[in-house]
Amino acid sequence: MTARCRIAASSAVLLLCTAGAGPVLAQPPAPFLMGGVTTAPGTTASANLKVPGGAGDEGTIIPFTVVNGSKPGPVLALIAGTHGVEYPPVLALQRLRTAIDPRTLTGTVILVHVANMPSFLARTIYYGPKDGQNLNRVFPGKRDGTLSERIAHVITTEVIDRATHVIDIHCGDGNEWLRPYSYWVVTSAPAVVAASKDLALAFGLDHIVIDTERPSDPAASVYLANTAMTRGKPALTAESGGWSRTDEESIARVERGVAGVLKHLGMRAEGQPPVAHPVWLGRNEVLRSGFTGLLYPMVEPGQTVAQGTIVARVTDFHGTVLEDIRAPFAGEILYVVATPPIAKGEPVGFVAERAAAVPSIGGGTGRPGSLRPGVGR
Ligand SMILES: [Zn+2]
Protein backbone atom coordinates (compact mmCIF):
# COMPACT_ATOMS: atom_id res chain seq x y z
CA MET A 1 0.00 0.00 0.00
CA THR A 2 1.07 3.55 -0.54
CA ALA A 3 -0.05 6.96 0.56
CA ARG A 4 -2.49 6.89 -2.32
CA CYS A 5 -4.55 4.14 -0.71
CA ARG A 6 -7.78 5.22 0.85
CA ILE A 7 -10.08 3.53 3.26
CA ALA A 8 -13.64 4.45 2.40
CA ALA A 9 -14.79 6.80 5.10
CA SER A 10 -17.87 4.97 6.26
CA SER A 11 -17.00 1.42 5.36
CA ALA A 12 -14.64 -0.57 7.49
CA VAL A 13 -14.29 -3.27 4.88
CA LEU A 14 -13.95 -1.65 1.48
CA LEU A 15 -10.35 -0.90 0.68
CA LEU A 16 -9.42 0.92 -2.48
CA CYS A 17 -5.98 1.77 -3.74
CA THR A 18 -5.72 4.19 -6.62
CA ALA A 19 -2.63 3.29 -8.56
CA GLY A 20 -1.94 4.31 -12.11
CA ALA A 21 -5.01 4.61 -14.28
CA GLY A 22 -7.42 2.57 -12.23
CA PRO A 23 -8.28 1.15 -8.87
CA VAL A 24 -6.70 -1.97 -7.50
CA LEU A 25 -9.27 -3.80 -5.50
CA ALA A 26 -9.10 -6.43 -2.88
CA GLN A 27 -11.43 -7.91 -0.30
CA PRO A 28 -14.68 -9.78 -0.71
CA PRO A 29 -17.91 -7.93 -1.49
CA ALA A 30 -18.71 -5.62 1.37
CA PRO A 31 -21.75 -3.80 2.66
CA PHE A 32 -21.73 -0.16 1.58
CA LEU A 33 -22.69 2.35 4.25
CA MET A 34 -23.94 5.75 3.11
CA GLY A 35 -26.29 8.23 4.70
CA GLY A 36 -26.93 5.89 7.61
CA VAL A 37 -28.13 3.09 5.32
CA THR A 38 -26.23 -0.14 4.77
CA THR A 39 -26.54 -1.71 1.33
CA ALA A 40 -25.61 -5.39 1.37
CA PRO A 41 -23.73 -6.91 -1.56
CA GLY A 42 -26.10 -7.81 -4.38
CA THR A 43 -28.78 -5.34 -3.28
CA THR A 44 -29.99 -1.79 -3.93
CA ALA A 45 -30.99 0.77 -1.31
CA SER A 46 -32.13 4.39 -1.45
CA ALA A 47 -32.06 7.13 1.19
CA ASN A 48 -31.20 10.80 1.62
CA LEU A 49 -28.00 12.52 2.59
CA LYS A 50 -28.72 15.36 4.99
CA VAL A 51 -27.31 18.81 4.38
CA PRO A 52 -27.41 20.63 7.73
CA GLY A 53 -29.06 24.00 8.12
CA GLY A 54 -27.20 27.29 8.34
CA ALA A 55 -27.86 30.99 8.57
CA GLY A 56 -31.24 31.62 6.99
CA ASP A 57 -32.06 28.10 5.85
CA GLU A 58 -32.96 24.73 7.25
CA GLY A 59 -30.62 22.74 5.04
CA THR A 60 -31.80 20.26 2.46
CA ILE A 61 -31.56 16.64 1.37
CA ILE A 62 -29.71 14.87 -1.39
CA PRO A 63 -31.60 11.73 -2.48
CA PHE A 64 -29.33 8.87 -3.47
CA THR A 65 -29.33 5.20 -4.34
CA VAL A 66 -26.55 2.69 -3.83
CA VAL A 67 -26.50 -0.29 -6.19
CA ASN A 68 -24.01 -2.58 -4.49
CA GLY A 69 -22.77 -5.35 -6.73
CA SER A 70 -22.23 -8.94 -5.75
CA LYS A 71 -18.51 -8.68 -6.55
CA PRO A 72 -16.10 -5.95 -5.44
CA GLY A 73 -14.92 -3.44 -8.02
CA PRO A 74 -14.96 0.23 -8.93
CA VAL A 75 -17.26 2.68 -7.15
CA LEU A 76 -18.88 4.76 -9.86
CA ALA A 77 -20.71 7.92 -8.77
CA LEU A 78 -23.33 9.30 -11.16
CA ILE A 79 -24.55 12.75 -10.24
CA ALA A 80 -27.60 14.49 -11.71
CA GLY A 81 -29.29 17.76 -10.91
CA THR A 82 -26.28 19.88 -10.08
CA HIS A 83 -28.27 22.61 -11.83
CA GLY A 84 -31.96 23.00 -11.14
CA VAL A 85 -33.60 22.83 -14.55
CA GLU A 86 -31.60 20.02 -16.13
CA TYR A 87 -34.06 17.16 -16.33
CA PRO A 88 -32.90 14.34 -18.68
CA PRO A 89 -30.03 13.30 -16.39
CA VAL A 90 -32.39 13.26 -13.40
CA LEU A 91 -34.90 11.13 -15.30
CA ALA A 92 -32.19 8.81 -16.62
CA LEU A 93 -31.04 8.10 -13.07
CA GLN A 94 -34.61 7.26 -12.07
CA ARG A 95 -34.51 4.53 -14.71
CA LEU A 96 -30.96 3.38 -13.93
CA ARG A 97 -31.94 2.77 -10.32
CA THR A 98 -33.91 -0.28 -11.39
CA ALA A 99 -32.08 -1.05 -14.63
CA ILE A 100 -28.74 -1.77 -12.94
CA ASP A 101 -29.07 -5.23 -11.41
CA PRO A 102 -26.92 -5.51 -8.26
CA ARG A 103 -26.83 -9.29 -8.55
CA THR A 104 -24.89 -9.15 -11.81
CA LEU A 105 -22.96 -5.94 -11.08
CA THR A 106 -19.27 -5.86 -10.24
CA GLY A 107 -18.47 -2.92 -7.97
CA THR A 108 -20.84 -0.27 -6.72
CA VAL A 109 -22.85 2.49 -8.37
CA ILE A 110 -23.85 5.57 -6.37
CA LEU A 111 -26.72 7.47 -7.97
CA VAL A 112 -27.18 11.05 -6.78
CA HIS A 113 -30.67 11.71 -8.05
CA VAL A 114 -30.92 15.46 -7.41
CA ALA A 115 -27.73 17.14 -6.23
CA ASN A 116 -29.21 20.62 -5.93
CA MET A 117 -32.64 20.16 -4.36
CA PRO A 118 -33.24 23.87 -3.53
CA SER A 119 -32.68 24.85 -7.16
CA PHE A 120 -34.67 21.86 -8.48
CA LEU A 121 -37.75 22.62 -6.40
CA ALA A 122 -37.57 26.38 -7.01
CA ARG A 123 -36.90 25.73 -10.74
CA THR A 124 -34.00 28.20 -10.80
CA ILE A 125 -31.44 28.12 -13.59
CA TYR A 126 -27.73 28.50 -12.83
CA TYR A 127 -28.07 29.75 -9.26
CA GLY A 128 -29.40 28.42 -5.96
CA PRO A 129 -32.52 30.25 -4.74
CA LYS A 130 -31.20 30.85 -1.23
CA ASP A 131 -27.71 32.14 -1.87
CA GLY A 132 -27.56 33.06 -5.57
CA GLN A 133 -24.56 30.78 -6.05
CA ASN A 134 -23.82 28.34 -8.83
CA LEU A 135 -23.32 24.95 -7.15
CA ASN A 136 -20.83 23.99 -9.84
CA ARG A 137 -18.60 26.92 -8.84
CA VAL A 138 -18.30 26.35 -5.09
CA PHE A 139 -16.57 22.97 -4.83
CA PRO A 140 -15.18 21.40 -2.73
CA GLY A 141 -17.60 23.35 -0.54
CA LYS A 142 -17.56 24.32 3.12
CA ARG A 143 -19.04 22.57 6.12
CA ASP A 144 -20.33 25.85 7.60
CA GLY A 145 -20.78 27.88 4.41
CA THR A 146 -23.77 28.95 2.35
CA LEU A 147 -26.38 26.36 1.42
CA SER A 148 -24.70 25.75 -1.95
CA GLU A 149 -21.32 25.40 -0.23
CA ARG A 150 -22.75 22.95 2.31
CA ILE A 151 -24.33 20.88 -0.49
CA ALA A 152 -20.95 20.82 -2.25
CA HIS A 153 -19.24 19.79 0.98
CA VAL A 154 -21.62 16.86 1.48
CA ILE A 155 -21.19 15.73 -2.14
CA THR A 156 -17.40 16.00 -1.84
CA THR A 157 -17.10 14.12 1.44
CA GLU A 158 -19.94 11.61 1.13
CA VAL A 159 -19.92 10.86 -2.58
CA ILE A 160 -16.73 11.93 -4.36
CA ASP A 161 -14.45 10.77 -1.56
CA ARG A 162 -16.21 7.38 -1.60
CA ALA A 163 -16.01 6.91 -5.37
CA THR A 164 -13.28 5.70 -7.67
CA HIS A 165 -14.84 7.33 -10.75
CA VAL A 166 -17.27 10.27 -11.01
CA ILE A 167 -19.60 11.44 -13.78
CA ASP A 168 -21.42 14.75 -13.33
CA ILE A 169 -24.29 14.62 -15.79
CA HIS A 170 -25.70 17.91 -17.03
CA CYS A 171 -27.63 19.25 -19.97
CA GLY A 172 -28.43 22.72 -21.19
CA ASP A 173 -30.09 24.55 -18.32
CA GLY A 174 -33.70 25.70 -18.68
CA ASN A 175 -32.77 28.49 -21.11
CA GLU A 176 -30.11 26.66 -23.09
CA TRP A 177 -30.57 24.83 -26.40
CA LEU A 178 -27.69 22.36 -26.65
CA ARG A 179 -26.16 19.61 -28.76
CA PRO A 180 -24.69 16.72 -26.72
CA TYR A 181 -21.04 16.94 -25.74
CA SER A 182 -18.69 16.27 -22.87
CA TYR A 183 -15.71 17.95 -21.25
CA TRP A 184 -12.38 16.21 -20.94
CA VAL A 185 -10.21 17.99 -18.37
CA VAL A 186 -6.48 17.71 -19.10
CA THR A 187 -5.06 19.66 -16.16
CA SER A 188 -4.83 16.88 -13.55
CA ALA A 189 -2.30 14.12 -12.92
CA PRO A 190 -1.45 12.24 -16.14
CA ALA A 191 -2.92 8.90 -15.04
CA VAL A 192 -6.16 10.60 -13.99
CA VAL A 193 -6.29 12.57 -17.24
CA ALA A 194 -5.76 9.40 -19.28
CA ALA A 195 -8.45 7.49 -17.41
CA SER A 196 -10.82 10.44 -17.74
CA LYS A 197 -10.31 10.44 -21.49
CA ASP A 198 -11.31 6.78 -21.52
CA LEU A 199 -14.43 7.67 -19.51
CA ALA A 200 -15.37 10.31 -22.08
CA LEU A 201 -14.93 7.84 -24.93
CA ALA A 202 -16.90 5.18 -23.07
CA PHE A 203 -19.78 7.56 -22.31
CA GLY A 204 -19.98 7.90 -26.05
CA LEU A 205 -20.88 11.53 -26.78
CA ASP A 206 -19.32 12.28 -30.14
CA HIS A 207 -18.19 15.84 -29.37
CA ILE A 208 -15.58 16.25 -26.63
CA VAL A 209 -14.32 19.64 -25.48
CA ILE A 210 -10.68 19.54 -24.40
CA ASP A 211 -10.71 21.57 -21.21
CA THR A 212 -7.33 23.10 -20.45
CA GLU A 213 -8.14 25.64 -17.76
CA ARG A 214 -9.64 23.91 -14.75
CA PRO A 215 -7.93 24.50 -11.41
CA SER A 216 -5.53 21.85 -10.11
CA ASP A 217 -5.77 22.83 -6.43
CA PRO A 218 -8.02 20.37 -4.55
CA ALA A 219 -8.84 23.10 -2.03
CA ALA A 220 -10.17 25.34 -4.81
CA SER A 221 -11.40 22.83 -7.36
CA VAL A 222 -14.52 24.94 -8.12
CA TYR A 223 -16.26 22.33 -10.33
CA LEU A 224 -17.73 19.02 -9.24
CA ALA A 225 -15.92 16.78 -11.74
CA ASN A 226 -12.72 18.74 -11.20
CA THR A 227 -13.04 18.07 -7.48
CA ALA A 228 -12.90 14.37 -8.21
CA MET A 229 -9.91 14.71 -10.53
CA THR A 230 -7.89 16.82 -8.12
CA ARG A 231 -8.47 14.01 -5.62
CA GLY A 232 -7.13 11.40 -7.98
CA LYS A 233 -10.46 10.13 -9.34
CA PRO A 234 -11.08 9.98 -13.09
CA ALA A 235 -14.12 12.09 -13.89
CA LEU A 236 -16.28 13.48 -16.64
CA THR A 237 -18.84 16.22 -17.19
CA ALA A 238 -21.43 15.18 -19.76
CA GLU A 239 -24.16 17.27 -21.41
CA SER A 240 -27.29 15.73 -22.97
CA GLY A 241 -30.53 17.63 -23.50
CA GLY A 242 -31.66 21.05 -22.37
CA TRP A 243 -34.15 23.88 -22.69
CA SER A 244 -36.32 22.45 -19.87
CA ARG A 245 -37.25 19.47 -22.02
CA THR A 246 -37.64 15.86 -20.96
CA ASP A 247 -37.25 14.28 -24.39
CA GLU A 248 -36.71 10.57 -24.70
CA GLU A 249 -33.56 10.77 -26.80
CA SER A 250 -31.73 12.95 -24.29
CA ILE A 251 -32.67 10.59 -21.47
CA ALA A 252 -31.77 7.47 -23.44
CA ARG A 253 -28.43 8.98 -24.44
CA VAL A 254 -27.51 9.23 -20.76
CA GLU A 255 -28.62 5.65 -20.17
CA ARG A 256 -26.49 4.45 -23.06
CA GLY A 257 -23.55 6.50 -21.83
CA VAL A 258 -23.72 5.01 -18.35
CA ALA A 259 -24.02 1.52 -19.84
CA GLY A 260 -20.90 2.17 -21.90
CA VAL A 261 -18.99 3.30 -18.80
CA LEU A 262 -20.14 0.26 -16.79
CA LYS A 263 -18.86 -1.97 -19.57
CA HIS A 264 -15.60 -0.02 -19.88
CA LEU A 265 -14.93 -0.32 -16.15
CA GLY A 266 -15.65 -4.03 -16.16
CA MET A 267 -18.68 -3.60 -13.95
CA ARG A 268 -21.18 -5.14 -16.37
CA ALA A 269 -20.86 -7.19 -19.54
CA GLU A 270 -23.35 -5.34 -21.72
CA GLY A 271 -23.05 -1.78 -22.92
CA GLN A 272 -22.32 0.30 -25.99
CA PRO A 273 -18.75 0.38 -27.34
CA PRO A 274 -16.68 3.55 -26.92
CA VAL A 275 -17.16 6.29 -29.50
CA ALA A 276 -14.65 5.51 -32.23
CA HIS A 277 -14.05 8.85 -33.91
CA PRO A 278 -15.19 11.73 -31.71
CA VAL A 279 -14.90 15.35 -32.74
CA TRP A 280 -12.25 16.81 -30.44
CA LEU A 281 -12.84 20.50 -29.78
CA GLY A 282 -9.96 22.74 -28.79
CA ARG A 283 -10.26 26.51 -28.89
CA ASN A 284 -13.63 27.44 -27.46
CA GLU A 285 -15.39 30.43 -26.05
CA VAL A 286 -18.53 31.25 -24.14
CA LEU A 287 -20.02 34.34 -25.78
CA ARG A 288 -21.59 36.84 -23.42
CA SER A 289 -24.04 39.66 -23.68
CA GLY A 290 -22.83 43.20 -23.24
CA PHE A 291 -26.32 44.40 -22.39
CA THR A 292 -29.45 43.59 -20.42
CA GLY A 293 -32.57 43.14 -22.51
CA LEU A 294 -34.14 40.62 -24.86
CA LEU A 295 -32.13 37.91 -26.57
CA TYR A 296 -32.78 36.55 -30.06
CA PRO A 297 -30.77 33.44 -30.93
CA MET A 298 -29.66 33.49 -34.58
CA VAL A 299 -28.09 30.02 -34.78
CA GLU A 300 -28.92 26.48 -33.72
CA PRO A 301 -26.79 24.08 -31.71
CA GLY A 302 -24.71 21.86 -33.95
CA GLN A 303 -24.56 24.59 -36.57
CA THR A 304 -21.20 25.35 -38.15
CA VAL A 305 -20.48 29.06 -38.15
CA ALA A 306 -17.92 31.24 -39.88
CA GLN A 307 -15.96 33.90 -38.06
CA GLY A 308 -18.30 36.87 -37.73
CA THR A 309 -21.56 34.93 -37.96
CA ILE A 310 -24.21 36.54 -35.77
CA VAL A 311 -24.86 34.08 -32.92
CA ALA A 312 -27.45 36.19 -31.11
CA ARG A 313 -28.98 39.64 -31.17
CA VAL A 314 -29.79 41.68 -28.07
CA THR A 315 -32.42 44.42 -28.03
CA ASP A 316 -33.64 46.73 -25.32
CA PHE A 317 -37.08 46.21 -23.82
CA HIS A 318 -38.69 48.33 -26.55
CA GLY A 319 -37.08 46.42 -29.41
CA THR A 320 -34.16 48.62 -30.39
CA VAL A 321 -31.13 46.55 -31.35
CA LEU A 322 -28.30 46.99 -28.86
CA GLU A 323 -25.82 44.38 -30.02
CA ASP A 324 -25.14 41.61 -32.50
CA ILE A 325 -22.97 38.99 -30.87
CA ARG A 326 -20.75 37.35 -33.47
CA ALA A 327 -18.65 34.21 -33.55
CA PRO A 328 -15.05 35.26 -32.81
CA PHE A 329 -13.73 32.36 -34.88
CA ALA A 330 -15.10 29.65 -37.13
CA GLY A 331 -16.44 26.63 -35.30
CA GLU A 332 -19.48 24.76 -34.14
CA ILE A 333 -22.22 26.02 -31.85
CA LEU A 334 -22.55 23.69 -28.86
CA TYR A 335 -25.31 25.62 -27.15
CA VAL A 336 -27.20 28.84 -27.57
CA VAL A 337 -29.46 30.57 -25.08
CA ALA A 338 -32.93 30.30 -26.53
CA THR A 339 -35.22 32.23 -24.20
CA PRO A 340 -35.66 36.02 -24.27
CA PRO A 341 -34.36 37.27 -20.91
CA ILE A 342 -30.69 38.25 -20.90
CA ALA A 343 -28.62 40.17 -18.39
CA LYS A 344 -25.34 41.91 -19.06
CA GLY A 345 -22.45 39.48 -18.75
CA GLU A 346 -24.52 36.32 -19.06
CA PRO A 347 -23.69 33.65 -21.64
CA VAL A 348 -25.56 33.67 -24.94
CA GLY A 349 -23.82 30.73 -26.57
CA PHE A 350 -20.78 28.49 -26.76
CA VAL A 351 -18.67 28.07 -29.86
CA ALA A 352 -15.80 25.62 -30.27
CA GLU A 353 -13.29 24.88 -33.00
CA ARG A 354 -12.05 21.44 -33.98
CA ALA A 355 -8.80 20.68 -32.21
CA ALA A 356 -5.73 20.65 -34.40
CA ALA A 357 -4.36 17.88 -32.20
CA VAL A 358 -5.51 15.79 -29.28
CA PRO A 359 -3.37 16.58 -26.22
CA SER A 360 -0.70 14.17 -25.25
CA ILE A 361 -1.51 12.94 -21.77
CA GLY A 362 0.09 15.13 -19.17
CA GLY A 363 -1.06 18.50 -20.26
CA GLY A 364 0.74 19.28 -23.50
CA THR A 365 -1.88 20.48 -25.92
CA GLY A 366 -1.94 20.79 -29.64
CA ARG A 367 -3.55 24.17 -29.39
CA PRO A 368 -4.39 25.92 -26.16
CA GLY A 369 -8.05 26.48 -25.46
CA SER A 370 -9.55 29.63 -24.05
CA LEU A 371 -12.24 27.99 -22.01
CA ARG A 372 -14.38 30.15 -19.85
CA PRO A 373 -17.35 27.89 -19.20
CA GLY A 374 -20.75 29.49 -19.03
CA VAL A 375 -22.31 30.03 -15.67
CA GLY A 376 -24.64 27.14 -16.24
CA ARG A 377 -22.01 24.55 -16.95
ZN1 LIG B 1 -25.52 22.18 -15.66
Side-chain angles (χ1 to χ4, degrees), residues 76-97 100 109-116 120 134-136 139 155 159-160 165-174 176 178-183 199-200 202-205 214 223-226 228 234-242 245 247 249-262 272 376-377:
L76 173 64
L78 306 173
I79 296 165
T82 298
H83 293 122
V85 192
E86 298 185 356
Y87 301 134
V90 171
L91 296 175
L93 262 55
Q94 297 288 306
R95 297 180 183 180
L96 288 164
R97 176 175 176 269
I100 301 173
V109 179
I110 303 169
L111 306 169
V112 172
H113 293 289
V114 180
N116 193 346
F120 182 75
N134 183 338
L135 176 58
N136 208 23
F139 277 86
I155 291 173
V159 179
I160 295 172
H165 301 76
V166 175
I167 305 180
D168 188 22
I169 314 173
H170 292 242
C171 64
D173 216 326
E176 294 173 331
L178 176 145
R179 69 115 40 241
Y181 68 95
S182 55
Y183 292 97
L199 277 185
F203 199 88
L205 303 181
R214 301 264 159 138
Y223 307 86
L224 192 157
N226 198 46
L236 176 70
T237 301
E239 308 267 355
S240 173
R245 297 189 64 206
D247 58 296
E249 178 53 24
S250 295
I251 299 168
R253 191 182 295 112
V254 173
E255 293 181 277
R256 292 195 300 272
V258 170
V261 169
L262 290 173
Q272 68 179 5
R377 306 265 72 75

Side-chain angles (χ1 to χ4, degrees), residues 175-359:
N175 57 332
E176 294 173 331
W177 188 14
L178 176 145
R179 69 115 40 241
Y181 68 95
S182 55
Y183 292 97
W184 172 39
V185 175
V186 297
T187 49
S188 283
V192 176
V193 171
S196 298
K197 180 184 181 183
D198 291 340
L199 277 185
L201 295 171
F203 199 88
L205 303 181
D206 67 358
H207 280 48
I208 301 174
V209 174
I210 301 165
D211 188 337
T212 62
E213 296 189 356
R214 301 264 159 138
S216 56
D217 178 3
S221 48
V222 181
Y223 307 86
L224 192 157
N226 198 46
T227 300
M229 293 184 72
T230 57
R231 284 162 171 72
K233 322 289 180 75
L236 176 70
T237 301
E239 308 267 355
S240 173
W243 212 0
S244 305
R245 297 189 64 206
T246 58
D247 58 296
E248 175 61 29
E249 178 53 24
S250 295
I251 299 168
R253 191 182 295 112
V254 173
E255 293 181 277
R256 292 195 300 272
V258 170
V261 169
L262 290 173
K263 180 184 172 81
H264 161 67
L265 295 176
M267 300 175 72
R268 207 169 62 171
E270 65 269 28
Q272 68 179 5
V275 58
H277 302 290
V279 174
W280 298 99
L281 297 160
R283 183 184 182 188
N284 55 78
E285 186 167 333
V286 173
L287 311 180
R288 296 173 186 275
S289 177
F291 297 90
T292 294
L294 271 65
L295 182 79
Y296 294 84
M298 308 294 275
V299 296
E300 296 187 357
Q303 182 176 331
T304 299
V305 293
Q307 183 180 22
T309 297
I310 300 174
V311 173
R313 174 165 290 167
V314 179
T315 73
D316 68 14
F317 296 110
H318 303 108
T320 302
V321 174
L322 297 173
E323 181 182 23
D324 282 335
I325 300 162
R326 298 174 182 272
F329 50 84
E332 184 170 339
I333 300 296
L334 295 182
Y335 72 80
V336 64
V337 169
T339 56
I342 193 71
K344 182 179 179 180
E346 286 185 339
V348 302
F350 186 38
V351 61
E353 167 186 279
R354 289 197 180 213
V358 178

